[in-house]
Amino acid sequence: MEFKNSYLQGVYDTVARRNQGEPEFLQAVREVLESFEPVLEKRPELAETGIIDRIVEPERFITFRVSWVDDSGKVQVNRGYRVQFNSAIGPYKGGLRLHPSVNASVIKFLGFEQVFKNSLTGLPMGGGKGGSDFDPKGKSDGEVMRFCQSFMTELYRHIGPDTDVPAGDIGVGAREIGYLFGQYKRLTNQFTGVLTGKGLTYGGSLVRTEATGFGLCYFTQEMLSVMKKDSFAGKTVVISGSGNVAIYACKKATELGAKVVAMSDSNGYVYDPAGINLDVVRQIKEGRRGRIKEYVEAVPAATYTEGCRGIWGIKCDIALPCATQNELDGADADKLIANGVMAVAEGANMPSTPEAIEKFQKAGVLFGPAKAANAGGVATSGLEMCQNSMRYSWTFEEVDQKLHDIMVGIFHNAYSASQEFGAPGNLVMGANIAGFLKVADAMKWQGVAY
Ligand code: NDP
């Protein structure tokens, strides 16, 4: 699809030429640039000062070799990445992903999205992202530790509490953050808040584990309340994934009165019409890193179906995709719409394809885009940085209240921007514009040579 605005078309063409063979990154850039058409009508100086030409090019992109020794004594080699995308409003901030699908395109798409998401939180954080094609699945604790130590042995020279503060993402939880932090401390002889998602005994924040899933539900609750005068109470919910985001989305949605009937992993999904028993899921996933199909051994009334895609055929009022990018396409959107879905909010990053988003919007389904809806994780990471700087810890209730207020604020920022720029209720556009304007103004004030 061509852009109406020739300047934006030119920016996109340059990005496409420079980043050939990187479909995820181009998909993310296209979606954001499409939102800028009405902005440029009101703020032409953003084109004249080259803000948009600059914002699509990472400030720094680092790749490195990560070699480590497996349990059989064999040397293994992976590739490590860190993109430092934009530091206009604060130190680079964004997670590390360990998954075999990680490549330059995935890291750049995630880093680009992170710039706008972090801005939306209202906290002073720039955008970054990193990771490796290392697959933690099936690896021993010792192998994961040796990988993390090798990864940090290169990464440490590029990061710091006032420079770049990584966190977790797919495949990076408390165990990996611990190994990474330990190695950073050994190498630098400094105990600082250089990573977030740390354990509670060494500088972590309460609520960080729950934050993305809880935040997703706070955002969705506000979206339902303002745009449909409704709530989670009494609703049937389907959640894809069964990792960190999915588990805590399930917990909060249930606390808010909904019934979650299905969850998945990359092999398949479980359907439990009585409502998912989260203790069972947590024992499988957090306890022994097992597969979701084991759920039916503990809950015989539930059913397991091979293939994760089928989950979108289950009838529900609210769908929360919380697994990975492009996991919900146009055909899945058709099924959800035919089954009467009223709201979709993204826990994962870019889980819906552009075609799926268009279908939801045309059908009048409330749609909460990832940048806004899943910003609770990085927002609470920002609160962890704040507590580390103060050398102090807030209580669970204090952090949870701040998270709640931030998510409600993000919804209203995105909603107001959608109204101000002529697309009322289009939160994709609203989130992109609201996130962008703050970064754009900071870039303008800081001049060109950086
Ligand atoms: P986890 O590693 O804890 O869980 C990921 C879940 O998604 C697992 O159930 C995994 O199943 C499933 N999954 C992974 N790849 C695929 C695939 N190709 N198809 C289907 N399912 C898949 O990660 P998180 O919960 O932390 O992250 C999930 C999403 O949320 C990601 O998009 C991430 O970027 C995003 N996110 C996470 C934040 C956080 O704070 N953790 C913050 C903001 C966004 P399996 O075990 O089979 O691989």
Side-chain angles (χ1 to χ4, degrees), residues 227 361 366 411 414-430 433:
M227 296 175 74
Q361 289 177 330
L366 301 187
F411 169 79
Y415 189 56
S416 307
S418 78
Q419 290 172 315
E420 188 187 336
F421 287 89
N426 181 339
L427 299 177
V428 174
M429 204 172 229
I433 294 174

Side-chain angles (χ1 to χ4, degrees), residues 97 99 110 117 129 137 169-171 208 212 241-246 264-267 285 291 308 322-324 347-349 374 377:
R97 175 177 293 192
H99 193 271
L110 290 164
K117 181 188 304 190
K129 199 83 189 188
K137 239 180 257 161
D169 189 70
I170 291 179
R208 177 61 188 91
T212 309
S242 46
N244 172 266
V245 179
S264 61
D265 62 21
S266 54
N267 294 117
K285 290 290 173 183
R291 309 307 302 159
C308 46
C322 295
T324 195
N349 283 312
N374 75 19

Side-chain angles (χ1 to χ4, degrees), residues 299-312:
V299 186
T303 52
Y304 172 74
T305 308
E306 198 68 26
C308 46
R309 228 44 195 239
I311 197 168
W312 306 123

Side-chain angles (χ1 to χ4, degrees), residues 119-235:
S119 165
L120 272 174
T121 66
L123 300 173
M125 299 182 290
K129 199 83 189 188
S132 171
D133 57 2
F134 172 81
D135 186 358
K137 239 180 257 161
K139 303 287 192 302
S140 69
D141 281 354
E143 289 175 322
V144 170
M145 181 178 79
R146 291 194 292 281
F147 170 83
C148 288
Q149 290 174 339
S150 180
F151 185 86
M152 186 52 87
T153 300
E154 170 60 28
L155 186 69
Y156 89 97
R157 70 189 84 245
H158 306 290
I159 62 176
D162 296 317
T163 307
D164 183 354
V165 183
D169 189 70
I170 291 179
V172 177
R175 175 181 61 167
E176 291 75 18
I177 292 290
Y179 294 147
L180 291 163
F181 183 80
Q183 186 69 352
Y184 181 87
K185 189 163 61 64
R186 257 172 233 120
L187 290 166
T188 60
N189 198 27
Q190 283 176 2
F191 193 113
T192 64
V194 69
L195 289 158
T196 57
K198 298 184 292 299
L200 294 175
T201 53
Y202 61 96
S205 172
L206 288 161
V207 195
R208 177 61 188 91
T209 307
E210 295 84 353
T212 309
F214 278 21
L216 172 66
C217 293
Y218 296 147
F219 179 94
T220 307
Q221 182 86 332
E222 189 68 10
M223 176 171 80
L224 288 165
S225 161
V226 171
M227 296 175 74
K228 278 252 162 54
K229 304 260 171 292
D230 212 328
S231 75
F232 267 107
K235 301 295 184 299

